[in-house]
C-alpha cells in the first residue's frame, strides 16, 4: 500500500507542484512526500528565479557598460587632461611631475557653503602638508602618499604610504593619435591603455555576465533553506496550537511550498524595478498566510482520514 502511495506521489511534476504552491487546499497532496522531493522542487524553482534575475541584470549591466563605453570614447581623454598632469613619475621613491606645483584638483559634492569634498593634490615642494581643507583626498608629496577619509559619523581616517620601495613608476597621458588613453610604466614594463583595450574588456565582461546565475542560485538556496528552518519554529507552534499531529518532516514540506508565493511576489517587484516600502514585512506576511492555511488544510485532511479509519473499523467489528 505504501509503495502505491509513493508511486502516486511520483506523478506530481514541477509545474503541478508550482500550481499547488498557490493552493493551500492542495498541500495535502505533498504533505506526506519525502522531503528530498520537496527540496528538489525548491531547487528547480530557485534555478528559474536565478535565471530570470541573471537575464534582467545582464541586460541592465550590458546597457550600462555600453553607455560607459560611449562616455569613455567621447570624454575620457578630456577628463584625464583636465584632472591629471601630463606626467607623474616615482623613481627610487622620489616623486616628480611636469605640472606646476602645487597641483590641485578638487570636486565639491556637498552643496554651497561646504568645504571641498574630494581633492587630489601633488606637491613635492612641502608647501601643502595635509588635507585639512577637504573631507576626502589624496596628497602626493615628495616621498609619501597621504590618504584621508572622513566617515559619515565624522570620524577621520588618515593613512600614509611610504614610497621608498618603488623603483620606477610612471603615469603619462596617452597619445590620442595612437588611440591611447593613458600609459603606465612599472619597472621595465610599459602598459598602454587604449580605446581598443577598453572595448575588449567590456566585451569579455559582457560574455561573463550570464554566469551570474551560479552565485545567484547558491545565494537563494542558502537563503531559502535558512528561512525554511527559521520559520519551521512558527510551524511547530501552529502545529501545537491546533493539534494537527503533523510530523516535523510534513511541516517542512508545507514550508517549502509556502515559500514559493512570496518569492514570486518579490521577483515580480525586482523585475519591474519597483521599490516597495516594507517589502520584507510583506514577504513574511504572505509566507505566514500560506503556511498557516497549508497546515490547517493538512489538519482537515488528517481529520477526515482519521474519521474514515474509525468508520471502517466500526463496520469491520459489526461483521462479527
Amino acid at each position: 500500500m505504501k509503495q502505491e502511495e509513493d508511486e502516486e506521489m511520483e506523478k506530481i511534476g514541477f509545474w503541478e507542484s508550482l500550481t499547488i504552491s498557490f493552493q493551500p487546499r492542495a498541500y495535502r497532496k505533498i504533505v506526506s512526500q519525502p522531503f528530498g522531493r520537496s527540496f528538489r522542487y525548491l531547487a528547480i524553482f530557485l534555478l528559474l528565479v536565478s535565471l530570470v534575475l541573471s537575464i534582467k541584470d545582464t541586460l541592465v549591466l550590458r546597457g550600462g557598460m555600453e553607455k560607459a563605453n560611449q562616455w569613455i570614447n567621447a570624454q575620457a581623454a578630456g577628463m584625464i587632461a583636465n584632472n591629471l598632469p601630463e606626467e607623474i613619475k616615482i623613481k627610487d621613491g622620489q616623486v616628480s611631475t611636469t605640472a606646476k606645483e602645487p597641483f590641485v584638483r578638487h570636486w565639491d559634492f556637498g552643496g554651497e557653503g561646504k568645504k571641498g569634498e574630494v581633492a587630489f593634490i601633488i606637491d613635492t615642494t612641502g608647501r601643502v602638508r595635509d588635507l585639512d581643507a577637504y573631507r576626502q583626498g589624496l596628497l602626493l608629496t615628495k616621498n609619501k602618499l597621504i590618504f584621508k577619509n572622513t566617515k559619515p559619523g565624522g570620524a577621520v581616517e588618515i593613512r600614509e604610504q611610504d614610497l621608498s620601495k618603488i623603483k620606477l613608476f610612471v603615469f603619462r597621458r596617452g597619445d590620442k593619435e595612437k588611440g591611447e588613453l593613458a600609459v603606465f610604466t612599472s619597472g621595465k614594463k610599459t602598459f598602454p591603455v587604449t580605446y581598443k583595450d577598453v572595448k575588449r574588456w567590456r566585451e569579455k565582461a559582457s560574455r561573463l555576465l550570464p554566469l551570474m546565475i551560479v552565485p545567484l542560485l547558491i545565494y537563494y538556496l542558502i537563503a531559502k533553506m535558512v528561512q525554511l528552518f527559521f520559520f519551521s519554529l512558527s510551524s511547530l507552534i501552529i502545529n501545537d496550537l491546533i493539534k494537527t499531529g503533523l510530523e516535523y518532516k510534513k511541516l517542512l514540506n508545507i514550508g517549502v511550498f509556502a515559500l514559493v508565493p512570496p518569492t514570486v511576489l518579490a521577483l515580480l517587484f525586482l523585475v519591474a524595478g519597483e521599490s516597495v516600502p516594507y517589502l520584507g514585512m510583506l514577504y513574511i506576511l504572505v509566507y505566514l498566510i500560506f503556511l498557516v492555511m497549508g497546515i490547517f488544510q493538512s489538519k482537515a485532511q488528517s481529520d477526515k482520514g482519521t474519521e474514515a479509519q474509525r468508520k471502517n473499523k466500526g463496520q469491520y467489528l459489526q461483521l462479527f
Side-chain angles (χ1 to χ4, degrees), residues 292-310:
V292 172
M293 291 175 65
I295 292 174
F296 265 102
Q297 292 300 325
S298 298
K299 175 184 183 296
Q301 180 65 21
S302 177
D303 290 345
K304 289 179 182 178
T306 302
E307 184 62 28
Q309 287 178 358
R310 287 175 181 172

Side-chain angles (χ1 to χ4, degrees), residues 20 36 72 87 105 169 210 215 217 238 248 314:
I20 288 173
I72 289 171
E87 181 180 276
R105 293 291 183 271
F169 175 83
L217 177 59
I238 297 167
Y248 184 65

Side-chain angles (χ1 to χ4, degrees), residues 26-282:
Y27 282 15
R28 64 181 183 274
K29 294 182 180 179
I30 55 85
V31 70
S32 297
Q33 72 180 9
F35 177 71
R37 199 171 301 161
S38 297
F39 177 78
R40 185 165 62 247
Y41 160 63
L42 181 63
I44 296 173
F45 169 72
L46 293 178
L47 177 62
L48 291 178
V49 170
S50 302
L51 177 62
V52 171
L53 289 178
S54 66
I55 291 173
K56 173 187 177 291
D57 291 343
T58 296
L59 294 175
V60 171
L61 290 173
R62 280 179 176 171
M65 291 166 65
E66 181 59 33
K67 289 180 180 178
N69 189 58
Q70 292 173 1
W71 181 88
I72 289 171
N73 290 334
Q75 301 185 40
M79 186 198 71
I80 292 172
N82 291 333
N83 294 286
L84 292 172
E86 186 175 340
E87 181 180 276
I88 303 171
K89 179 186 288 186
I90 305 174
K91 186 175 182 180
D92 296 326
Q94 301 295 300
V95 177
S96 63
T97 180
T98 56
K100 182 180 178 180
E101 298 183 64
F103 178 86
V104 180
R105 293 291 183 271
H106 62 84
W107 303 270
D108 297 322
F109 303 113
E112 296 182 4
K114 292 190 177 182
K115 60 183 180 181
E117 288 282 329
V118 182
F120 173 62
I121 303 173
I122 304 175
D123 183 38
T124 62
T125 67
R127 281 180 283 177
V128 179
R129 297 178 179 275
D130 56 54
L131 291 161
D132 289 351
Y134 306 97
R135 291 180 59 81
Q136 325 281 341
L138 288 172
L139 170 59
L140 190 58
T141 68
K142 187 68 177 177
N143 55 13
K144 291 180 184 177
L145 177 63
I146 301 174
F147 168 80
K148 178 182 179 181
N149 176 40
T150 302
K151 298 179 180 179
V156 176
E157 177 187 10
I158 297 177
R159 292 185 303 200
E160 293 187 4
Q161 179 67 47
D162 183 12
L163 304 176
S164 60
K165 293 183 179 179
I166 299 178
K167 297 300 180 183
L168 180 65
F169 175 83
V170 181
F171 161 84
R172 65 176 176 81
R173 297 177 196 164
D175 186 336
K176 189 174 182 180
E177 293 183 359
K178 295 180 180 180
E180 296 174 342
L181 281 168
V183 179
F184 298 90
T185 300
S186 180
K188 296 180 180 180
K189 295 182 179 180
T190 298
F191 308 93
V193 178
T194 66
Y195 291 98
K196 288 183 179 179
D197 290 330
V198 173
K199 182 181 179 181
R200 185 172 67 254
W201 296 336
R202 178 183 65 82
E203 290 173 348
K204 286 183 178 180
S206 182
R207 287 195 292 268
L208 292 174
L209 286 176
L211 295 178
M212 285 190 299
I213 189 173
V214 177
L216 280 173
L217 177 59
I218 294 172
Y219 165 76
Y220 278 114
L221 275 173
I222 295 173
K224 297 305 175 185
M225 291 308 294
V226 169
Q227 291 174 16
L228 176 64
F229 286 104
F230 177 78
F231 282 107
S232 69
L233 297 174
S234 302
S235 302
L236 289 170
I237 294 171
I238 297 167
N239 188 50
D240 187 59
L241 288 174
I242 62 178
K243 310 296 182 184
T244 64
L246 294 174
E247 300 172 2
Y248 184 65
K249 178 188 71 173
K250 295 181 178 181
L251 294 174
L252 287 179
N253 284 335
I254 294 171
V256 166
F257 279 73
L259 271 175
V260 172
T263 303
V264 171
L265 180 65
L267 177 65
L268 291 175
F269 285 127
L270 286 172
V271 171
E274 295 292 333
S275 178
V276 181
Y278 308 110
L279 179 58
M281 295 298 295
L282 179 61

